[in-house]
Amino acid sequence: MGYLYLIIPYIIFLFGWTKYYISIPLILVLLIVLFLMIKNTISNYNIVYKINLLVFILILFIIVSFIVVFGIGEIFPQSIDMRRGRNALFRDLINFSWPIIYPKNGYGVVYYFAHWLVPSLFGKLFGLKVGLFTLILWSSFGILIFFILMINFLNIKDNKYIIVSLFIFTFFGFIPQFAGGIYIEYASMSLQISHLFNQSIAIWIMCMLFLYQKNSSNFAFLGLSIVFYSPYAIIGILPYMLVKLIIDIKSNKLIEFKNIFSIENILSTISIFPILFLYLSSIDTMSDGFEILITKHNYIILFINYLLSFGILMILLYQNNKNNYIFYTSIFVFIFVSMIRYSQDHNFSRTNLTAVFFLSFLLIEYFYKNMNIKSIKKNIIILLFIFVSYKNIIYFENQISLFIEIGISNDNNIVKKTFNENTKNDWILRTITCQDIDNSIFFKYIAKNKK
């Protein structure tokens, strides 16, 4: 199910946005890739994980509750970025024919909107409210897939800890986000659900599927399928793939070289990379470029930032992970991301969402393996978790309080309802459109013609 969750939006995109003589062959190739991967999964991971029905229902209830309370579905209050941009994009996906070229400004929509494609398709067919309801279901289903993959991977059998691990994951967070005036985002899981769900949920699934991989034969699919959810995610997962590849090559060179050039990798690259590269590279902010921050940091403050954000927890988890490449690679990703800025915002920080995920995963693993062990280190980690999760718990409580006070959100609470407007020099509009479609290879030769 994880593989399907990652690729279904791209298949819809191919069918809805590109010419049929391009989309149909590529979709057939992707179906072959899915068949091969699912076949190999069944043969290599034929493990039945049993879960109590009542526990499963409780998990589903908690997930849906978190999804709704954190603002997905426009029932509870939402972040400003949702109200001034993402809700508008979701409505445009519903209200305009695909590919979207706005009549008032002639701009073509270019964005990593995979998470909204399935719900927007239902919205096209049955209206906005059904689309929003489907968005809740799609988001909840994604978290359920990731969570089942995780508890199965960790082989968690204790029903109480299954529920506890869900709360640990949801409220896991960090302390500071600034390093001498330079903003470095370490997005807590609560923030990811409320603010970055269109990227994060698929990233969690991708990370779990990566942990299940016995070799590199599916790496191209995992890395490329996540790009349509978040282009930053492929940069975030690439170091882990490279380190695992090096480890596997040392163990068995010939077989691993064969896995690198597997049919799944080759066909995934052919069917996903060219289309998404030409599409996403046509965005108007593509030329904004990267900025290296190595010479701009105050390294004393940056070190304190590292220590408080992830360093203390990493030190405490070291003994249990000293032979775990995931542990060391996560440290590298955190440091690497803090040295780069892209465009005018801090979005490149979201490259570290993979490292954030793996750190929360290691924490859940530690608590489960030491569930019945009493130690000073465990008590310190518990206190640290309580401290960093406090802000997220308060945010959850505030969401409920605001809902009680103002009721269900409505269209009046949405700052922007569409990007179909004649606004010029709007930076947000630049981040989601190609403003020169006549010179875009994708819109000229690949996208369906607009009549």
Side-chain angles (χ1 to χ4, degrees), residues 424-449:
K424 291 185 178 181
N425 300 320
D426 185 314
W427 187 78
I428 295 178
L429 192 60
R430 287 187 63 223
T431 64
I432 67 156
T433 58
C434 170
Q435 300 189 1
D436 186 15
I437 62 173
D438 291 335
N439 291 312
S440 163
I441 294 175
F442 178 84
F443 283 99
K444 282 181 70 175
Y445 303 111
I446 297 172
K448 290 180 179 177
N449 295 321

Side-chain angles (χ1 to χ4, degrees), residues 6 120 180 211 214 256 268 315 376-377 383 393 405 418:
L6 292 179
S120 67
L211 291 177
K214 292 184 176 180
E256 196 51 39
S268 295
I315 291 169
I376 295 174
K377 182 171 75 171
L383 288 173
I393 294 170
E405 181 181 340
T418 181

Side-chain angles (χ1 to χ4, degrees), residues 32-45:
I32 293 171
V33 173
L34 283 170
F35 171 77
L36 292 173
M37 290 194 303
I38 292 171
K39 179 183 176 183
N40 290 335
T41 300
I42 292 172
S43 61
N44 294 328
Y45 306 97

Side-chain angles (χ1 to χ4, degrees), residues 150-168:
M150 184 181 71
I151 59 176
N152 178 52
F153 186 86
L154 294 175
N155 197 29
I156 299 176
K157 301 294 186 181
D158 185 275
N159 288 332
K160 290 181 181 178
Y161 191 73
I162 289 174
I163 302 301
V164 169
S165 64
L166 182 56
F167 279 94
I168 292 173

Side-chain angles (χ1 to χ4, degrees), residues 15 36 117 124 193 249 258 313 380 396 417:
F15 193 77
L36 292 173
L117 264 182
K124 274 186 177 299
I193 296 173
I249 287 174
K258 181 181 177 181
L313 184 56
I380 293 173
F396 183 81
K417 297 179 183 178

